[in-house]
Amino acid sequence: MNHRPNSLRISDVAHSMHPYTNMRLHEEKGPMIMTEGNGARVTDSEGKEYIEGLAGLWSVAVGFSETRLADAAYAQLKRLPYYHSFAHKAHEPSIRLAEKLVEMTPEGLNRVFFTNSGSEANDTVVKMAWFLNNGLGRPEKKKFLSRTKAYHGITIASGSLTGLAGNQKDFDLPAIPVTHLTCPHYWRYGEEGESETEFTARLLKELEDTIIAEGPETIAGFIGEPVMGAGGVMTPPEGYWPGVVEICHKYDILVVSDEVINGFGRTGERFGCEKYGFTPDILVTSKQLTSSYMPLAAIVVNDKVYNAIADNTAKLGNFGHGFTGTGHPVACAVGLENLNIIEERDLMGNAKRLEPLFQDGLRAFAEMFQDGLRAFADHPLIGEIRGVGLIAGLEMADKKTGVGLIAGLEMADKKTKQPFGKPGAVAAKVVALAAEEGLICRNVYEVALAAEDGLICRNVYDTVALCPPLIVTEDDVREIHARLGRALDRALDWAKSEGML
Ligand code: PMP
């Protein structure tokens, strides 16, 4: 039994190029091969079971063994495994899923365009905005506004909208006209003595000043994740989103809500825009749309966007954009069944019900740590704990030296918020120890690159992210806390032994 996983390891190291991986390190370390999933748990090739604390990549809402999704895929594969949607062709799964998405998304979002990934969706959004503005006779209105630490994907346009150096350095990005505004993270970017409301007002002023300075006639859209995900799990400050929408609409700038992580209950509400009280012109979803059982993303647009695009297609005779896999019938059939399961089992309600246990438990977790500490928030490695619904980020601090330490839980000194000296190493340690404790979580960070460029501090982040499947139970949540707590405590011992504390 051992020989197959071993040969898989050897083969992987010999033949595969992994995304988001230090390939030279991978040659030494080899892969962690997953073999099975059951509910909120996955098993590796050594037979070790883990709680999947990041739902794969923030995406497996219904858990890892949902046979209804397998059945939906198989039924569609037998009936019509593939058809496209080009040039007036259609099939039932994509028609039904579009209808369902219009029903589920906020009032006014009435048309759906499918892609295979979130990155392709955001590239499509950029192209839609360019296409419609050309059609409307305003060829200068092309720029996008985004935020530092935003994550919108990695293709040429979406990777330009992303506001992380790690996705841009040496890729020659940004490659489209985009301005990155201040990240709306009060804890790190709020100034000394500034209240949260004042912080919001400052960011909104920055937005309006930027629009006026660059010229509203040059700006096509503003894109943002309601809760920022891969940039470190940041919830927006009070009043931020309604303010953004008001200013953008004043200058005829489209508002794009990137709900690739937020969508379908992650924040405790159906969509992040509903949680934060705004309606976008364009809403982008993926991930929990199919629980990642199949690759699929959907762009849902309002009538204003649709009509401007449709008019231009009438003028040109075509919308010269689309993928072979646009609205793939198997992916759409799985998506439809997945959304039915989310609704039938009230998984969005489950996220809302478990929010207090999950979030408050992280903030005030008892009797876990050495030295008589009784709360995560008091832990010497932790600077800030943040999150909403079933998504959280923990940022750490070395209180003694004032130098930030770990990644994954964002680590920085509580006062200076400076990252630790060797942030990558400690972060990797926390995540590795959590895995030993039977919990998969993810450290998202940008420290090394930023440090290399002398950018240490304000754009650095080093956060441990948690984003469990929506099917988790109270017991699962308590187990997540317990396992992470043990990993943090062991990381603290390690950091002390390394002389970091
Ligand atoms: N937007 C957001 C908010 C995301 O979190 C992601 C993926 N993490 C993407 C876009 C890109 O999606 P994909 O990886 O499917 O291209």
Side-chain angles (χ1 to χ4, degrees):
M1 277 306 284
N2 265 345
H3 114 266
R4 190 161 161 73
N6 283 344
S7 70
L8 278 180
R9 292 176 69 83
I10 291 163
S11 177
D12 183 67
V13 167
H15 303 125
S16 302
M17 288 175 77
H18 284 257
Y20 277 92
T21 300
N22 172 342
M23 294 187 195
R24 292 294 182 214
L25 183 62
H26 189 73
E27 290 167 15
E28 287 165 31
K29 241 177 96 146
M32 175 188 205
I33 300 175
M34 292 310 189
T35 51
E36 253 175 70
N38 186 15
R41 285 162 170 78
V42 290
T43 306
D44 71 13
S45 56
E46 311 288 310
K48 185 174 166 68
E49 192 182 82
Y50 307 83
I51 297 180
E52 224 317 336
L54 204 83
L57 281 177
W58 331 76
S59 54
V60 184
V62 300
F64 288 83
S65 49
E66 184 45 69
T67 50
R68 277 175 63 181
L69 296 192
D71 293 344
Y74 188 48
Q76 188 57 43
L77 279 165
K78 283 191 291 186
R79 189 164 162 220
L80 180 70
Y82 173 70
Y83 218 78
H84 61 83
S85 327
F86 286 23
H88 312 287
K89 301 290 192 303
H91 47 72
E92 184 170 354
S94 79
I95 296 170
R96 292 274 177 240
L97 184 58
E99 191 180 23
K100 178 85 185 163
L101 286 169
V102 168
E103 183 196 305
M104 286 183 87
T105 49
E107 187 71 32
L109 297 170
N110 290 331
R111 298 274 177 173
V112 181
F113 190 92
F114 291 109
T115 69
N116 305 288
S117 69
S119 298
E120 287 172 335
N122 286 328
D123 268 38
T124 297
V125 163
V126 169
K127 287 183 69 183
M128 282 178 170
W130 291 351
F131 186 82
L132 75 82
N133 278 328
N134 285 325
L136 291 171
R138 28 192 219 193
E140 277 110 62
K141 206 165 170 68
K142 297 288 166 53
K143 288 185 209 166
F144 266 79
L145 301 175
S146 178
R147 289 93 53 85
T148 48
K149 299 193 186 180
Y151 191 88
H152 299 297
I154 42 66
T155 45
I156 302 290
S158 71
S160 301
L161 299 173
T162 289
L164 297 167
N167 296 111
Q168 299 186 329
K169 190 175 160 63
D170 289 352
F171 289 111
D172 292 3
L173 296 178
I176 66 161
V178 54
T179 300
H180 291 98
L181 302 165
T182 300
C183 175
H185 179 199
Y186 175 56
W187 181 76
R188 181 171 287 282
Y189 297 104
E191 283 171 359
E192 196 68 37
E194 189 177 48
S195 72
E196 187 170 325
T197 326
E198 287 162 352
F199 177 62
T200 301
R202 177 159 63 81
L203 263 51
L204 294 178
K205 182 173 185 316
E206 178 198 36
L207 169 63
E208 187 154 19
D209 288 350
T210 305
I211 293 169
I212 292 166
E214 298 195 10
E217 70 288 354
T218 69
I219 301 176
F222 176 103
I223 188 166
E225 306 146 86
V227 175
M228 300 175 82
V233 187
M234 278 83 72
T235 53
E238 191 61 38
Y240 174 81
W241 271 108
V244 165
V245 173
E246 195 187 324
I247 293 168
C248 287
H249 284 173
K250 182 167 150 193
Y251 296 103
D252 202 8
I253 291 166
L254 296 172
V255 174
V256 184
S257 188
D258 182 344
E259 307 240 2
V260 167
I261 288 179
N262 284 223
F264 308 110
R266 178 53 63 191
T267 65
E269 297 297 332
R270 195 159 42 179
F271 292 99
C273 60
E274 291 169 320
K275 171 88 191 167
Y276 294 107
F278 70 100
T279 305
D281 301 288
I282 300 178
L283 187 150
V284 178
T285 78
S286 185
K287 295 192 189 273
Q288 295 204 128
L289 172 58
T290 60
S291 286
S292 279
Y293 279 43
M294 293 293 293
L296 184 67
I299 303 159
V300 194
V301 307
N302 66 14
D303 291 341
K304 180 180 151 194
V305 172
Y306 170 73
N307 285 326
I309 292 171
D311 283 347
N312 205 27
T313 66
K315 200 156 74 190
L316 300 177
N318 192 21
F319 184 53
H321 180 86
F323 304 91
T324 305
T326 291
H328 194 287
V330 180
C332 287
V334 167
L336 202 52
E337 188 69 347
N338 174 67
L339 296 182
N340 287 338
I341 293 170
I342 287 177
E343 286 184 337
E344 279 169 35
R345 298 190 187 153
D346 191 23
L347 296 182
M348 297 190 271
N350 193 46
K352 204 181 176 97
R353 275 188 300 279
L354 288 179
E355 177 177 26
L357 180 71
F358 180 65
Q359 298 292 344
D360 299 349
L362 282 178
R363 285 162 182 78
F365 190 53
E367 293 179 74
M368 176 60 47
F369 301 112
Q370 52 186 302
D371 302 337
L373 294 168
R374 297 178 64 85
F376 272 99
D378 293 336
H379 194 279
L381 298 181
I382 294 182
E384 189 195 37
I385 299 172
R386 49 187 181 254
V388 66
L390 285 182
I391 183 167
L394 297 91
E395 172 159 343
M396 308 221 162
D398 176 347
K399 294 182 187 63
K400 197 168 114 233
T401 65
V403 178
L405 190 60
I406 304 188
L409 314 180
E410 188 165 348
M411 298 176 223
D413 178 83
K414 280 188 180 170
K415 290 198 195 97
T416 67
K417 296 163 191 168
Q418 288 287 333
F420 286 87
K422 281 198 209 163
V426 187
K429 192 77 184 172
V430 172
V431 171
L433 290 171
E436 278 182 28
E437 296 292 340
L439 171 68
I440 292 184
C441 51
R442 181 165 169 217
N443 54 310
V444 287
Y445 61 95
E446 187 165 65
V447 177
L449 267 178
E452 235 175 59
D453 286 352
L455 297 175
I456 281 219
C457 183
R458 291 188 66 87
N459 281 336
V460 163
Y461 71 103
D462 218 359
T463 296
V464 170
L466 289 171
C467 184
L470 296 187
I471 54 153
V472 283
T473 62
E474 282 188 19
D475 284 349
D476 292 332
V477 169
R478 290 201 177 89
E479 256 316 298
I480 290 171
H481 291 157
R483 292 177 191 194
L484 182 62
R486 289 199 290 273
L488 277 165
D489 231 14
R490 289 175 61 194
L492 180 58
D493 282 342
W494 177 82
K496 283 177 180 165
S497 75
E498 294 284 306
M500 293 176 181
L501 280 167

